Amino acid sequence: MMRWLRLGLTLLRRERASGEWRILLLALVIGVGSVSTTGFLGDRLKRAMTERGAGFLGADLLVTSPRPIQAWPDHDLDTSQAIELASMASRGDLFQLVTLRAVDAAWPLRGQVRIAQRPFEDGQPGPALPPPGDIYVETGLLSLLDAQVGDRVRIGASEFRIGGLVADEPGRIGGIFGLAPRVFLRADALAATQVLQPGSRITYLYQFAGAPEAIEGFARALKPRLDNTQRLTGAREGSQVLRGPFANADRYIQLTALISLLLSVAAVAIAARRHALRHYDQAALLRCLGATTGQLRTLYASQWLLLGLLGSLLGVGLGALAQQGLAALLLPEAAWQLPELGWAPVGAGMLSGLLALAGASLPYLLRLSQTPPLRVLRRDLPPLPLAAWLSAAITGTALTGLVLWYAQDAQLVAVFLGALAALVLTLAILARLALAGGRWVRRLSAGPLRFGLAQLLRHRLDSTLQLGAFTLALFLLALLTLVRTDLVHGWRQQLPADAPNHFLVNIAPHQQQEVSAYLAKYPIKSSDLYPMIRGKLVTRNGQPITEGLSEAAREDNTLRRELNLTWTGRLPANNEILAGTWHGNRPGDEISVEARMAERLGLALGDRLGFQVGDQTVEARITSLRSVQWESLQPNFFVIFAPGPLETLPASGLAAIHVPPEARDALTGFVKAFPGITVLALDKLMNDIQAVFDQIIAALQLLLGFLLAAGMAVVLATLLASLDARQQEAVLLRTLGAPRAFLAKSLWSEFLALGALAGLLASACAEIAMALIAQRLFELSPQWHPLMWISLPLAGALLVGAGGWLTTRQITRIPPMQSIRALS
Amino acid sequence: MHPNIRTYEETSSRTPGFHPVAVEARGLGQQVSTAERDLTILKDIHLSVKAGATWAITGASGSGKSTLLGLLAGLDRPSSGSVTLLGQALDGLDEDARARLRAGRVGFVFQSFQLLPALTALENVLLPLELSGQTDARDQARHWLERVGLAERAEHTPRQLSGGEQQRVALARAFATHPEIVFADEPTGNLDADTGARIIDLLFDLNVQTGTTLILVTHDEALAARCSHRLRLAAGRVVDAGAGADA
């Protein structure tokens, strides 16, 4: 045993000098490098996204409860708490309903509050806790109370000075339509106001922050203790606008990791096959000299294990360095300071390298150890083929294990592996068909081109394998590029450059024309003006709405509060009718209901819903169900009435406007001109969201870059694996008098044809795969990608052509005699 | 003489498993199936090679010489008949048992030298010595390189050696473990006449000095004539079996 181990190491050391295992090692290093880079980066990006989300939520975890919570699971997290309740604020004879938020010194744990001294200024970051005797208020309150910063306002039994305006705070996005402006005061000042009375509707807010694992454990322990009036919100769920992009980015990262893994296994398998092929003679000789199967296994397994360890270690090192450097380059902002690297990802990278090598190479190792000794006399004698099921079982088990480990989602793995099997089969058939189609092209061409194409057709099996490998690499890269492009496109659509950045609330009916006229003087883009009335859903077909509903449905948010009701004849831009027909301008008691709300409450077309509006009840029939893009930052409504039923009731108007930076002064004038109208500024929030989008996009770009390296490794491994056969033919041709130019041209035409064909096949596969996964995994609508059908074959031809030229150019340069010696 | 290098007399008297008949074939036949028909490569070969004898297997290309060599050395299984190598019937042995039988007791010389390109000349000679667990392997390997006149080239790889030099390394490797039998397949086939002649001289010298049984395949009549026995094959059958020049 030791003798064979020693011999294995000696051979390995000697072969290093001759570059014998360079290709296998290269495939391993790039493979493990890309897997661990995507792993490291993916992990760190996910954490960074959570951090960003926490900035929007104000904490890593937020618990809201109508009652104080006394007992918590054990934890060592940072905490902060606040009490929120509705109260009246007054100045002189002006009264306004406000939302009081009494905070402690730690509020908020994540993100920042910005306090401004004048409306629509960005303000300075600072604590949410005002100095004693002060309150901070939302800008909207100033106009409602006709006040300025520095003025005094009464709340309950206390009087406060307005110390500043809340220009930005975490968690704002959830409350933009809360019509009672927010007021921050000190928690220790709350008791003196005497607004806390038995029966007051109070919300207790508890913030937690700490290490991700600690937060996870705490949330797990806490969840079962909460009842359905209490709510737990994670960092990722804090912002509705970011929830979708975060989930999509997560899936994309997961998909990237899987694909890089697959590309690595493919590259290693191709390199391992070549390595094994080149060692059959050695194995045969050793058998002649008395080596048994077991001894050969020891010999080669020890070599490959050492190679695997070395390659994986180098790969992990490369991955760690690369992601550090590239992350710093592309994601320089402090908020994206990625968490430290640990030993866990290093171990994971090493293990995945070894598993990939084992899965890819074990079948070859087994064959190698069974090389017939007779091969020393008959060079053409191949080792006994390994039973196909055994090969498939070994590779399949290793691959499934790896994929399971990475994806940690059995369903995804099943879909992925099923699709992969179908893909391999389709590729094999398509590649064969395409090569068969090459015959007539050959008839049309002449000279080196004809020879190059003939080469392709002559080595049918090798060509099929190469074509399959190139197609796989191009397809997977195309798939990731398409998903990325579509995701980015979707996000850009979600937040177009002219998305509304301010809301106008409380527009009285008689002000509507004046407001429109005022806005028209400036380059301000306005949405339709929606009349708004608050009403509570109370009956369905004459029965109380809660009747027959499950407990969960009864607790639905849409039943617990008043809804913003509107009426319009024009379907809002981001809405889509899913069932029934839009009521349009025909007046009548018809309503359109948001589809998911209808589903949760079991509402159907034709149901009559009753709404309590003030002291009246308004009834209307559901005639359509709509989808609503809640993340669009447009005025969105659960229920839209047809013109008519609500028109006689007192309503205020709501409009969303886009104010470009150069028209910001118009807002100051607007507030003066219409003191009763509240202006909600969302531009800071939108900039923050845009920044997060940009960073996610940059991060995805980075991952894609790494995948390109892995794809290139597959292409190179495939090309290098075919080098020996090509060299042999080239020597023969040169000996027979073929000029170098002829060889170069024939090689180029062979590679260009292979690359272009692979690109074409990959386009077809990518188009089909996109159609299948776009909707299921990423909630994207399927699209046709005509440009890809041109660009991918071109890219394929260039990539394979250039790679082929790089790897084979030496063939055309070495004098034939030298090649003959090298080959013999 | 190096203390570990033994003479024929020593080998034959001291080796516990010494057999007066080195290799024996009875009714040996080899057939392969092709798509069209079954092809007979060897048919009904009877052969008994005494220990220490030198045999030449001759015949035209395709007459089955190398196939017979492979069967006698246990590199392949016959379709019919039996082979007894160094007193052990091969038909009862699986691939691994046959490999164990060859280890250290059977040497090979090939037409294409079959040196491991990654190893130096010394390491190539060292290979069978180490694999058969010999002590003092490195000294022995050096000694054998010296005997074939390549002491100065010990650290050179096969690529840095000429064809004749490579074959001399192969000879050193074949004899280094004091095998009881050496099989040589066209040992001069890849060499020019002069170099080939020198290699043959060396092969026979080593054979005489070590008393090893030698079976070589050749189509070179002059070379065959130097063996004590010869077996001429035509179309897979023995057409002539008899004594050689010095029998």
Side-chain angles (χ1 to χ4, degrees):
Chain A
M1 173 92 173
M2 282 313 290
R3 280 203 299 274
W4 292 95
L5 276 176
R6 205 168 53 233
L7 176 64
L9 298 187
T10 309
L11 284 170
L12 203 59
R13 207 173 54 240
R14 294 288 180 200
E15 287 179 351
R16 183 178 60 94
S18 60
E20 188 55 47
W21 40 270
R22 198 176 48 199
I23 298 169
L24 186 56
L25 193 66
L26 195 71
L28 263 172
V29 172
I30 297 180
V32 174
S34 80
V35 168
S36 47
T37 306
T38 47
F40 286 145
L41 258 187
D43 192 40
R44 297 176 103 186
L45 287 174
K46 277 186 194 174
R47 287 207 235 168
M49 280 197 292
T50 307
E51 257 172 49
R52 276 300 227 177
F56 279 92
L57 183 69
D60 292 336
L61 201 69
L62 176 72
V63 180
T64 54
S65 165
R67 296 172 302 284
I69 301 177
Q70 308 294 352
W72 297 97
D74 286 341
H75 67 83
D76 55 352
L77 302 168
D78 295 337
T79 60
S80 171
Q81 56 173 301
I83 295 173
E84 205 170 80
L85 74 158
S87 180
M88 282 309 232
S90 63
R91 182 167 177 267
D93 54 357
L94 291 173
F95 285 83
Q96 174 61 39
L97 185 71
V98 295
T99 305
L100 288 183
R101 183 176 276 187
V103 297
D104 62 16
W107 192 276
L109 292 175
R110 299 274 192 239
Q112 59 182 11
V113 170
R114 297 181 80 91
I115 305 296
Q117 292 304 310
R118 289 217 310 233
F120 310 115
E121 277 181 355
D122 286 344
Q124 296 296 319
L129 186 80
D134 275 10
I135 51 171
Y136 294 146
V137 305
E138 280 187 332
T139 311
L141 187 66
L142 293 186
S143 55
L144 294 168
L145 292 180
D146 192 17
Q148 304 281 329
V149 172
D151 287 349
R152 299 192 76 78
V153 171
R154 171 162 290 280
I155 296 172
S158 306
E159 209 176 66
F160 296 94
R161 190 182 78 96
I162 299 177
L165 302 172
V166 183
D168 187 26
E169 62 158 319
R172 259 198 87 186
I173 191 160
I176 50 173
F177 296 118
L179 292 184
R182 185 92 47 93
V183 171
F184 279 86
L185 76 162
R186 301 172 68 92
D188 55 17
L190 186 62
T193 62
Q194 296 174 17
V195 294
L196 265 183
Q197 301 292 334
S200 300
R201 232 185 127 152
I202 301 171
T203 305
Y204 293 85
L205 301 139
Y206 300 93
Q207 289 190 336
F208 298 90
E213 302 75 31
I215 288 286
E216 248 173 63
F218 179 69
R220 249 199 320 273
L222 181 63
K223 233 173 213 166
R225 297 196 190 185
L226 300 180
D227 63 33
N228 52 23
T229 62
Q230 298 168 319
R231 215 170 129 202
L232 185 147
T233 312
R236 295 291 191 91
E237 299 139 19
S239 157
Q240 205 161 35
V241 183
L242 290 176
R243 207 173 297 171
F246 276 165
N248 277 343
D250 269 358
R251 278 211 196 91
Y252 188 84
I253 289 169
Q254 207 173 22
L255 190 70
T256 314
L258 283 184
I259 286 180
S260 77
L261 193 69
L262 198 66
L263 285 174
S264 313
V265 172
V268 171
I270 292 164
R273 177 172 178 264
R274 172 184 189 262
H275 195 75
L277 282 176
R278 290 175 65 96
H279 284 78
Y280 287 157
D281 285 345
Q282 187 187 71
L285 180 76
L286 291 172
R287 292 213 80 155
C288 263
L289 298 181
T292 61
T293 314
Q295 288 165 333
L296 284 186
R297 267 184 212 152
T298 308
L299 175 89
Y300 291 115
S302 63
Q303 283 191 339
W304 289 25
L305 183 69
L306 201 71
L307 268 186
L309 282 172
L310 188 68
S312 303
L313 200 65
L314 289 175
V316 169
L318 176 80
L321 278 179
Q323 61 98 24
Q324 196 81 24
L326 283 172
L329 200 71
L330 277 177
L331 311 167
E333 206 183 301
W336 286 77
Q337 285 291 317
L338 302 172
E340 285 292 300
L341 287 180
W343 280 109
V346 173
M350 297 282 298
L351 196 63
S352 57
L354 289 176
L355 265 177
L357 180 65
S361 65
L362 258 183
Y364 296 115
L365 184 73
L366 291 179
R367 281 192 76 186
L368 198 54
S369 60
Q370 286 173 355
T371 311
L374 194 62
R375 190 181 157 91
V376 291
L377 300 175
R378 288 177 47 198
R379 294 286 299 272
D380 56 330
L381 210 60
L384 293 174
L386 198 65
W389 68 266
L390 190 60
S391 283
I394 293 170
T395 313
T397 310
L399 198 61
T400 310
L402 265 174
V403 171
L404 251 175
W405 181 33
Y406 270 78
Q408 304 204 331
D409 178 346
Q411 200 191 350
L412 181 70
V413 173
V415 170
F416 192 76
L417 289 181
L420 194 65
L423 176 72
V424 169
L425 198 70
T426 316
L427 272 183
I429 296 169
L430 282 180
R432 278 287 165 122
L433 285 177
L435 286 176
R439 282 174 190 284
W440 62 266
V441 180
R442 203 173 128 198
R443 271 188 224 126
L444 301 176
S445 49
L449 179 63
R450 183 192 168 90
F451 187 80
L453 293 179
Q455 287 292 91
L456 272 183
L457 300 174
R458 218 177 352 260
H459 306 291
R460 185 75 60 91
L461 179 67
D462 282 345
S463 298
T464 309
L465 276 178
Q466 286 170 30
L467 189 56
F470 296 147
T471 307
L472 183 73
L474 285 173
F475 155 63
L476 292 175
L477 293 177
L479 184 64
L480 278 183
T481 313
L482 287 186
V483 172
R484 192 199 68 88
T485 312
D486 285 6
L487 278 181
V488 171
H489 180 69
W491 294 335
R492 294 252 153 87
Q493 265 192 336
Q494 191 177 322
L495 271 191
D498 58 354
N501 53 9
H502 290 78
F503 278 84
L504 305 180
V505 187
N506 268 348
I507 307 170
H510 67 272
Q511 290 178 306
Q512 290 178 8
Q513 282 192 340
E514 282 176 70
V515 167
S516 300
Y518 183 91
L519 296 178
K521 287 192 284 184
Y522 299 93
I524 291 175
K525 201 178 150 198
S526 172
S527 74
D528 286 349
L529 196 138
Y530 295 93
M532 213 162 74
I533 293 180
R534 290 168 77 98
K536 200 160 190 296
L537 174 57
V538 284
T539 62
R540 175 192 174 198
N541 297 329
Q543 303 295 320
I545 182 75
T546 48
E547 202 161 278
L549 284 185
S550 69
E551 203 177 327
R554 256 183 253 167
E555 288 295 330
D556 196 85
N557 207 23
T558 54
L559 295 185
R560 289 176 58 191
R561 62 177 178 88
E562 288 190 316
L563 299 174
N564 292 317
L565 307 174
T566 189
W567 69 89
T568 176
R570 202 156 74 172
L571 184 67
N574 293 312
N575 290 207
E576 198 182 328
I577 297 295
L578 300 180
T581 49
W582 174 246
H583 47 66
N585 278 321
R586 69 176 176 261
D589 53 352
E590 295 183 32
I591 48 172
S592 175
V593 177
E594 194 254 351
R596 282 194 220 166
M597 168 187 170
E599 194 185 321
R600 289 197 304 273
L601 301 181
L603 306 176
L605 288 175
D607 281 353
R608 281 190 81 79
L609 301 185
F611 296 88
Q612 181 78 42
V613 181
D615 55 359
Q616 296 189 36
T617 304
V618 183
E619 279 207 348
R621 196 164 47 89
I622 304 177
T623 52
S624 68
L625 299 176
R626 283 169 301 126
S627 68
V628 173
Q629 277 185 18
W630 294 104
E631 66 277 11
S632 67
L633 289 181
Q634 295 278 354
N636 287 314
F637 298 92
F638 281 113
V639 178
I640 300 178
F641 277 71
L646 296 180
E647 277 180 10
T648 53
L649 299 170
S652 65
L654 167 76
I657 55 174
H658 172 77
V659 184
E662 66 270 19
R664 271 188 101 170
D665 288 347
L667 280 181
T668 322
F670 185 90
V671 174
K672 281 196 185 124
F674 304 98
I677 296 176
T678 306
V679 180
L680 293 173
L682 293 180
D683 48 350
K684 176 76 179 60
L685 175 80
M686 301 208 15
N687 287 344
D688 285 355
I689 293 174
Q690 190 61 54
V692 174
F693 278 2
D694 288 347
Q695 282 165 335
I696 298 179
I697 290 168
L700 299 192
Q701 201 98 6
L702 186 69
L703 287 179
L704 190 62
F706 260 86
L707 262 283
L708 265 177
M712 200 60 209
V714 173
V715 171
L716 281 179
T718 312
L719 286 170
L720 287 168
S722 67
L723 200 60
D724 297 343
R726 286 181 207 288
Q727 195 163 352
Q728 223 148 11
E729 278 159 2
V731 166
L732 194 67
L733 281 172
R734 291 208 63 192
T735 316
L736 293 178
R740 245 169 64 183
F742 179 92
L743 276 185
K745 276 183 199 160
S746 87
L747 283 172
W748 265 105
S749 42
E750 186 184 343
F751 290 132
L752 287 177
L754 256 182
L757 200 55
L760 205 62
L761 294 178
S763 303
C765 292
E767 201 75 78
I768 295 168
M770 267 310 274
L772 291 177
I773 67 164
Q775 240 167 340
R776 275 174 211 195
L777 281 183
F778 295 101
E779 292 177 11
L780 292 167
S781 37
Q783 298 179 21
W784 174 247
H785 305 86
L787 200 62
M788 173 181 71
W789 290 83
I790 301 163
S791 56
L792 206 55
L794 269 177
L798 276 178
L799 198 71
V800 177
W805 179 74
L806 273 176
T807 49
T808 56
R809 79 200 145 126
Q810 64 182 52
I811 292 180
T812 60
R813 293 191 179 162
I814 302 172
M817 194 54 215
Q818 203 176 323
S819 300
I820 290 170
R821 267 169 185 251
L823 287 171
S824 64
Chain B
M1 185 179 280
H2 188 275
N4 276 333
I5 307 298
R6 290 156 288 179
T7 60
Y8 168 56
E9 288 73 21
E10 285 170 333
T11 311
S12 53
S13 57
R14 287 181 199 166
T15 309
F18 177 74
H19 302 279
V21 176
V23 62
E24 189 168 28
R26 292 261 165 267
L28 207 56
Q30 187 72 314
Q31 279 190 322
V32 289
S33 299
T34 62
E36 295 97 40
R37 61 198 172 96
D38 286 348
L39 206 65
T40 301
I41 298 173
L42 285 177
K43 193 169 181 187
D44 203 25
I45 309 284
H46 292 269
L47 178 70
S48 180
V49 177
K50 283 189 184 149
T54 51
W55 277 74
I57 302 172
T58 60
S61 291
S63 59
K65 305 184 295 286
S66 294
T67 306
L68 178 59
L69 184 92
L71 290 175
L72 295 177
L75 302 182
D76 199 9
R77 286 172 181 278
S79 311
S80 56
S82 64
V83 174
T84 303
L85 178 66
L86 305 174
Q88 183 89 48
L90 294 186
D91 44 4
L93 303 181
D94 64 11
E95 195 72 63
D96 281 348
R98 281 182 278 145
R100 275 192 288 269
L101 174 65
R102 284 192 298 270
R105 298 178 69 188
V106 179
F108 288 94
V109 182
F110 303 104
Q111 179 178 4
S112 53
F113 324 135
Q114 298 278 12
L115 300 178
L116 293 188
L119 300 184
T120 61
L122 180 71
E123 285 165 336
N124 266 292
V125 181
L126 201 55
L127 196 61
L129 286 165
E130 285 203 322
L131 296 186
S132 59
Q134 305 238 356
T135 54
D136 209 8
R138 193 160 281 268
D139 283 348
Q140 288 196 57
R142 280 195 189 284
H143 176 80
W144 278 100
L145 273 183
E146 213 170 286
R147 282 187 79 171
V148 299
L150 287 176
E152 303 298 314
R153 315 292 299 269
E155 298 306 322
H156 288 196
T157 60
R159 207 165 279 187
Q160 296 164 311
L161 300 173
S162 68
E165 288 167 333
Q166 287 189 49
Q167 195 60 307
R168 279 195 274 161
V169 176
L171 284 179
R173 180 181 68 186
F175 284 90
T177 55
H178 308 287
E180 291 161 55
I181 185 165
V182 168
F183 291 95
D185 180 36
E186 302 273 14
T188 57
N190 271 358
L191 302 171
D192 62 75
D194 283 354
T195 313
R198 280 200 293 276
I199 288 294
I200 290 304
D201 287 345
L202 185 60
L203 174 64
F204 279 96
D205 283 353
L206 292 173
N207 173 247
V208 168
Q209 287 166 22
T210 57
T212 307
T213 310
L214 175 68
I215 298 181
L216 64 84
V217 160
T218 182
H219 55 256
D220 179 348
E221 287 298 325
L223 172 55
R226 294 183 63 169
C227 293
S228 59
H229 298 77
R230 69 188 286 170
L231 184 81
R232 196 199 306 270
L233 292 178
R237 290 163 189 271
V238 178
V239 290
D240 181 21
D246 53 351

